Amino acid sequence: MPYDVVIAGGGFGGLYAARRLERRLPRHSARILLVTDVNFLLYTPLLPGAAAGALEPRHVVVPLREELEWADIRLGSVTGANPAADELRIVTVDGRQETLHYDQLIVTVGSVSRVLPVPGLAEHGLGFKTLADAIALRNRALLNLEIAESLPDDDARRAYLTFVFVGAGYAGLEGIAELQDYVADVIDRYPRCRIVGTRFVLVEARDRVMPEIPASLAEFATRELRGRGMEILTNTTLSSADQESATLSTGERIPARLLCWTAGVRPAPVVGELGLPLERSGRIEVDATMRVAGSSNVWAIGDAAAVPDPAKRRRAPSPPTCQHAIRQGRRVAENVAATLSGRRTQPFRYRTLGVFVDMGQHKAVATILGLRLRGFPAWFVARSYHLALMPGLVRKIRLAADWTVGLLFGRASAELGQLGHPPALGDAARETVSPR
Ligand SMILES: Cc1cc2nc3c(=O)[nH]c(=O)nc-3n(C[C@H](O)[C@H](O)[C@H](O)COP(=O)(O)OP(=O)(O)OC[C@H]3O[C@@H](n4cnc5c(N)ncnc54)[C@H](O)[C@@H]3O)c2cc1C
């Protein structure tokens, strides 16, 4: 009987684990089943580019069926598990409840935005974690420009031209920098808005931006963004939000019509339904080989798991990055294959090679193999790195084409919020079309 190897989650950890398993396990010996709620991997480092209209949304995803040769893909949501019976519960995309048996299970369901109980935040803040978030952000920014352009008085206009981001990790910093770059690119088409000008505010609870990079590079990034007129408020938190404003811990009330929350992530909610031991942070507790504590056939990796970071002395968990999820995916596949053939498993060994923070306007900061780069060289290396890492030649060409077209001809300003929400047949909008 072939072994059933089930992977829950089709992001960085899931795809790279499945690809390695396809190579390591002979076809007749195992069935690999990947359960995922979307049929693509979202290449998150390029999400700010999609939000800023520099990249086509379809070009920042990797369709799983194009990358996997023989693993089975099941579109649906994992809803729970019974590890004592080796069972995983799922709801398929058409609403059927199924129970899957596994001999080996790899959990890699990633993370979601960590929303704090700040009054008004859940109702009025936008997230920046999914492709839908990125497109919503771009559309909201454009809609704000359209509304601002149509308003009679400058004060009301100003609120629509104020953009507040909370959380200055790489998602927040890259997100605000790319959005500002984009708005600067299109604002000439909005003459009243151009006269009033825009305001971009980045709020951070800690005393500096980007704890992931050395202080000198974080200072460079701060100086660069302040030089572009952006306000960076450290040691400051968001106290409350409403439809028209964001109020900060300093007491300042900023009239703003766009609030984006990028203050950290927490494991995907289903992690709490799997009957697995969790650490204080809510991530699944695993050992250095990524086997779940107290289990012989369940493994967990990526943002959802507290995989001990080999780069740190104490048993601190690996940072939630795709670099780690990719390497953990490959290693966990090797360990699953080893377990099935009675060989020894190996611990996860990886040290971060580098970090890039793209700040738009052809500038970035980067640390690569101990080297610190900033400005254009860092930006060039960051783009080359992402081109190299994006799977598939055609996808690399599409990325390069998007970047080149953006450089030469600027970016489009069509607000496409209606995409995916067509009017129902028979709606008034359709009735204006004369029948044939
Ligand atoms: C804006 C942004 C920028 C980033 N930039 C960088 C960067 O520059 N460099 C870097 O190293 N990292 C970056 N990251 C972090 C990186 O994206 C994550 O660390 C990485 O995606 C984690 O991989 P994963 O496999 O654990 O989760 P993911 O890649 O998120 O994959 C999890 C998958 O599981 C699916 N899933 C979730 N719940 C269920 C369920 N119940 N049932 C079925 N499927 C489910 C999800 O839809 C998803 O497809 C960034 C993140 C964001 C948000």
Side-chain angles (χ1 to χ4, degrees):
M1 275 283 281
Y3 292 111
D4 284 313
V5 181
V6 176
I7 302 171
F12 282 98
L15 174 61
Y16 281 81
R19 285 213 312 199
R20 183 59 64 93
L21 280 169
E22 283 188 331
R23 262 184 269 151
R24 286 289 173 268
L25 299 177
R27 274 195 195 207
H28 61 270
S29 74
R31 286 187 293 245
I32 304 170
L33 175 63
L34 187 138
V35 183
T36 172
D37 55 4
V38 285
N39 75 350
F40 56 78
L41 169 151
L42 173 61
Y43 195 103
T44 47
L46 298 178
L47 203 58
L55 294 171
E56 260 294 310
R58 279 173 298 119
H59 299 170
V60 301
V61 302
V62 179
L64 296 172
R65 289 188 189 276
E66 292 173 23
E67 285 303 306
L68 293 174
E69 280 175 27
W70 58 272
D72 204 2
I73 297 173
R74 186 81 49 89
L75 206 56
S77 284
V78 175
T79 53
N82 179 0
D86 295 338
E87 285 174 354
L88 187 72
R89 292 190 296 279
I90 69 165
V91 176
T92 61
V93 73
D94 55 336
R96 282 174 291 119
Q97 305 212 348
E98 284 184 10
T99 301
L100 306 173
H101 169 265
Y102 59 79
D103 295 300
Q104 300 286 324
L105 171 67
I106 302 171
V107 179
T108 172
V109 286
S111 55
V112 294
S113 296
R114 181 171 50 102
V115 183
L116 300 180
V118 174
L121 173 63
E123 297 83 1
H124 304 291
L126 292 175
F128 193 41
K129 187 77 181 69
T130 65
L131 193 55
D133 289 338
I135 306 312
L137 191 63
R138 176 180 179 277
N139 286 332
R140 179 76 73 84
L142 282 171
L143 200 60
N144 280 11
L145 287 172
E146 294 293 346
I147 296 172
E149 190 66 14
S150 69
L151 289 173
D153 85 285
D154 280 352
D155 275 344
R157 204 186 326 280
R158 231 166 250 125
Y160 280 93
L161 296 174
T162 301
F163 305 90
V164 178
F165 276 59
V166 183
Y170 45 75
L173 203 119
E174 289 190 337
I176 196 168
E178 292 269 11
L179 192 70
Q180 195 224 22
D181 194 14
Y182 177 53
V183 171
D185 214 17
V186 297
I187 202 158
D188 280 352
R189 295 169 199 151
Y190 300 86
R192 291 188 198 91
C193 294
R194 198 186 54 210
I195 290 166
V196 170
T198 54
R199 183 180 179 194
F200 282 82
V201 184
L202 180 59
V203 178
E204 169 55 48
R206 284 166 293 204
D207 59 357
R208 58 169 273 204
V209 303
M210 292 290 309
E212 299 90 338
I213 58 173
S216 60
L217 289 180
E219 275 159 30
F220 174 81
T222 307
R223 267 201 313 278
E224 170 65 31
L225 296 182
R226 285 197 173 131
R228 294 180 198 173
M230 239 179 250
E231 294 165 51
I232 300 182
L233 309 176
T234 49
N235 295 314
T236 307
T237 57
L238 179 74
S239 300
S240 66
D242 58 36
Q243 204 181 348
E244 296 172 3
S245 66
T247 303
L248 307 182
S249 53
T250 53
E252 186 184 2
R253 179 180 173 274
I254 304 177
R257 293 288 186 152
L258 189 151
L259 171 68
C260 186
W261 179 257
T262 51
V265 294
R266 66 180 175 87
V270 71
V271 160
E273 309 297 322
L274 300 178
L276 302 174
L278 305 182
E279 291 230 324
R280 238 174 352 137
S281 62
R283 293 168 92 177
I284 301 168
E285 201 183 326
V286 295
D287 64 16
T289 67
M290 294 164 288
R291 204 190 300 254
V292 172
S295 168
S296 61
N297 63 345
V298 183
W299 313 76
I301 58 171
D303 288 9
V307 179
D309 186 348
K312 295 199 183 116
R313 282 217 193 102
R314 292 198 174 177
R315 213 183 163 279
S318 301
T321 74
C322 38
Q323 299 183 32
H324 287 81
I326 289 172
R327 272 76 180 191
Q328 288 166 6
R330 289 183 187 138
R331 170 49 45 207
V332 85
E334 299 284 357
N335 284 348
V336 166
T339 304
L340 291 177
S341 57
R343 286 180 287 117
R344 277 166 65 96
T345 55
Q346 300 280 330
F348 170 62
R349 285 195 200 98
Y350 173 68
R351 276 166 194 268
T352 306
L353 297 176
V355 178
F356 305 101
V357 186
D358 195 332
M359 296 187 295
Q361 298 190 3
H362 314 131
K363 290 193 178 143
V365 289
T367 53
I368 311 136
L369 302 168
L371 217 69
R372 295 178 187 187
L373 297 175
R374 52 199 204 182
F376 181 79
W379 176 83
F380 186 76
V381 174
R383 291 253 157 133
S384 311
Y385 173 81
H386 290 311
L387 264 187
L389 202 65
M390 174 60 85
L393 179 65
V394 175
R395 274 180 228 108
K396 292 183 205 296
I397 294 172
R398 285 193 185 124
L399 275 187
D402 278 1
W403 280 326
T404 313
V405 169
L407 266 178
L408 296 177
F409 304 108
R411 286 168 272 183
S413 59
E415 192 276 305
L416 300 176
Q418 57 177 258
L419 281 192
H421 311 284
L425 272 177
D427 270 7
R430 287 201 190 259
E431 280 163 14
T432 56
V433 179
S434 45
R436 287 193 191 168

